[in-house]
Amino acid sequence: MPSPGRHDRPVPPGGAQALYDDVVWADAVVRCATAGTSPGTAPTLTARPLRDRPGALLSGSCDLDTRPILCAALGVVTRIPGPVVHLDLSAVAFLDTAAVAALLQAAATVTGQGRRLLLHHPPYSLRKVVELFPDECAALEVAA
């Protein structure tokens, strides 16, 4: 018999509890995805909810190996309610071009809902991709 999953439980009423469950679920996805790393090594990408505003803090590196983790985290971030969703990238060492494309997709999703995705402290790699492809990356909004 399969173990009960997140979607087997009834969704709690009210936005706050549902948001908390989604963020906890995203954290669990990230932990499971990095559980296969060898002992003594740090996970290559983690996502944690921000405590002071709606959004998430990403830590690590966003590349081919961590793409499923990034996509899972961004999927949850785009469902966080509020007019502005924050994504703190201060602890991200590197974003490859596919990770930037995933950020663009997340920004498009949030914008399509009439909201904003605000990026904080982008790493050098993201700033460089934006510099190389300004028209393609125009949808990314970076906090001043």
Side-chain angles (χ1 to χ4, degrees):
M1 181 164 130
S3 62
R6 178 189 182 282
H7 296 290
D8 296 331
R9 296 181 290 153
V11 176
Q17 184 62 42
L19 171 61
Y20 175 78
D21 285 350
D22 278 347
V23 171
V24 170
W25 175 75
D27 188 43
V29 167
V30 171
R31 287 174 192 249
C32 290
T34 59
T37 58
S38 59
T41 61
T44 55
L45 182 64
T46 60
R48 301 279 184 259
L50 292 174
R51 301 209 184 279
D52 60 339
R53 58 190 180 254
L57 167 70
L58 292 182
S59 301
S61 184
C62 302
D63 54 26
L64 178 64
D65 294 333
T66 60
R67 190 152 307 125
I69 302 167
L70 177 64
C71 290
L74 291 176
V76 172
V77 166
T78 60
R79 293 191 314 267
I80 295 174
V84 179
V85 179
H86 302 268
L87 190 58
D88 188 338
L89 303 172
S90 61
V92 172
F94 175 76
L95 285 133
D96 68 4
T97 54
V100 176
L103 287 175
L104 283 163
Q105 180 61 46
T109 299
V110 170
T111 301
Q113 300 166 349
R115 304 176 315 124
R116 295 170 44 213
L117 177 64
L118 188 57
L119 306 178
H120 297 269
H121 312 290
Y124 174 79
S125 55
L126 175 58
R127 294 190 310 265
K128 194 63 174 175
V129 171
V130 170
E131 182 182 306
L132 292 171
F133 303 100
D135 294 337
E136 292 83 354
C137 296
L140 295 177
E141 185 178 355
V142 178

